[in-house]
Amino acid sequence: LCRTSSMHLTPDSSRVQTAGCEKLWIQSWDDENSFAIGRVGGIPTLIDAMRRHRDIARLQQAAAGALQNLALNDYNRDVIAEAGGIAAIVDSMRRHWDSSAVQQCGCTALANIAADSVENRVTVTETGGLHTILAAVERFPEDEAVLRSAYQALRVLGYNPTQALAEAQARAGNQVGAGGSAG
């Protein structure tokens, strides 16, 4: 957890910020560490790194990865939303549309942040998160990790892709049937 102090001391160093995000991602896998990271200001530090170093895909992936783990805790989920983490993740996914790793971590982070929070689900949608998740699916239709993460996020946001596909197929069938009887 001392990594956040070096990140605070050198916020413009992309090398330090990337290494810090990677360390926090690893540390965030442990529940106790995740709780502590949220309490010592690690979340705003991650989001600040995402904003300052927008063009570094590796940093964006690590920061979104850390946020996805941190969001499993109710307190951290609220801090992420209040600190602008949703918008930072959506921006990251838009900027790094060609990185499946950023897309996968971003989708999972958005799903975890939106879980059990109507307010966060609304914020994800209002910041363009829904469209960004769908864009990830379109960009990586063969990447199972991206698809699983996107599906999870869509389900949390109240969208059932399986049901939507069935409804679309039913509508298409009805249109064909209607067109055939008119001819």
Side-chain angles (χ1 to χ4, degrees):
L1 297 179
C2 63
R3 182 59 62 180
T4 59
S5 62
S6 62
M7 292 175 75
H8 282 292
L9 292 173
T10 54
D12 294 324
S13 169
S14 61
R15 185 181 58 77
V16 170
Q17 296 301 308
T18 300
C21 289
E22 289 173 340
K23 296 292 184 191
L24 288 172
W25 186 11
I26 292 166
Q27 291 174 342
S28 69
W29 283 97
D30 178 82
D31 289 339
E32 288 182 30
N33 284 343
S34 180
F35 182 79
I37 291 166
R39 300 287 181 185
V40 300
I43 293 168
T45 302
L46 286 163
I47 295 167
D48 184 57
M50 293 177 82
R51 289 180 179 146
R52 286 178 183 263
H53 304 281
R54 288 182 161 102
D55 296 328
I56 302 173
R58 187 171 145 197
L59 179 147
Q60 298 296 321
Q61 175 193 1
L67 291 173
Q68 81 183 16
N69 294 338
L70 294 168
L72 295 173
N73 170 298
D74 290 340
Y75 172 82
N76 289 347
R77 187 179 308 125
D78 292 341
V79 173
I80 293 167
E82 291 168 10
I86 295 170
I89 293 165
V90 171
D91 179 63
S92 174
M93 292 174 69
R94 286 179 178 156
R95 285 179 180 276
H96 299 283
W97 57 271
D98 58 338
S99 169
S100 63
V102 170
Q103 299 305 309
Q104 187 270 321
C105 288
C107 285
T108 302
L110 292 174
N112 292 349
I113 295 165
D116 301 323
S117 172
V118 173
E119 185 177 336
N120 289 351
R121 286 194 292 271
V122 169
T123 303
V124 168
T125 303
E126 288 178 348
T127 59
L130 179 61
H131 296 292
T132 304
I133 294 164
L134 293 171
V137 170
E138 289 176 13
R139 177 74 175 147
F140 297 100
E142 304 297 321
D143 189 312
E144 188 173 332
V146 172
L147 295 176
R148 285 181 187 268
S149 295
Y151 182 82
Q152 174 192 9
L154 292 170
R155 291 295 301 233
V156 167
L157 293 171
Y159 181 77
N160 184 335
T162 306
Q163 180 181 350
L165 177 61
E167 290 170 359
Q169 289 171 336
R171 282 192 303 275
N174 289 340
Q175 290 173 352
V176 170
S181 63

